[in-house]
């Protein structure tokens, strides 16, 4: 009957969409992985600047400045 045909077609569309697009769950998993396992640009810039300042300080202590 017509309802059965409509439901079957709806299921096919749903299946096709599920195979084509990421689920909310998988996107959330990727987002959480990035948040928990990778530094932000701000964090990395801060770490780089701290290390650069340490190096500059060490060089200044060792060598005469102009």
């Amino acid at each position: 009957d017509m309802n059965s045909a409509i439901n079957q077609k709806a299921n096919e569309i749903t299946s096709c969409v599920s195979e084509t697009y990421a689920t909310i769950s998988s996107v959330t998993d990727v987002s959480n992985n990035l948040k928990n396992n990778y530094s932000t640009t701000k964090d990395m810039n801060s770490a780089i600047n701290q290390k650069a300042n340490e190096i500059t300080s060490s060089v200044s202590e060792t060598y005469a400045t102009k």
Side-chain angles (χ1 to χ4, degrees), residues 23-34:
T23 63
I24 291 173
S25 174
S26 65
V27 171
T28 301
D29 289 345
V30 169
S31 176
N32 288 337
N33 182 28
L34 291 172

Side-chain angles (χ1 to χ4, degrees), residues 44-58:
M44 287 308 299
N45 284 340
S46 176
I48 290 166
N49 287 332
Q50 286 175 358
K51 189 53 72 177
N53 290 338
E54 287 177 28
I55 293 168
T56 301
S57 177
S58 175

Side-chain angles (χ1 to χ4, degrees), residues 7-64:
N7 286 335
Q8 183 178 355
K9 188 51 76 175
N11 289 338
E12 288 175 23
I13 292 168
T14 300
S15 177
C16 181
V17 168
S18 294
E19 292 171 6
T20 305
Y21 297 98
T23 63
I24 291 173
S25 174
S26 65
V27 171
T28 301
D29 289 345
V30 169
S31 176
N32 288 337
N33 182 28
L34 291 172
K35 274 191 269 187
N36 296 330
N37 297 310
Y38 295 92
S39 301
T40 64
T41 300
K42 182 178 176 182
D43 292 338
M44 287 308 299
N45 284 340
S46 176
I48 290 166
N49 287 332
Q50 286 175 358
K51 189 53 72 177
N53 290 338
E54 287 177 28
I55 293 168
T56 301
S57 177
S58 175
V59 169
S60 294
E61 291 171 4
T62 307
Y63 299 98

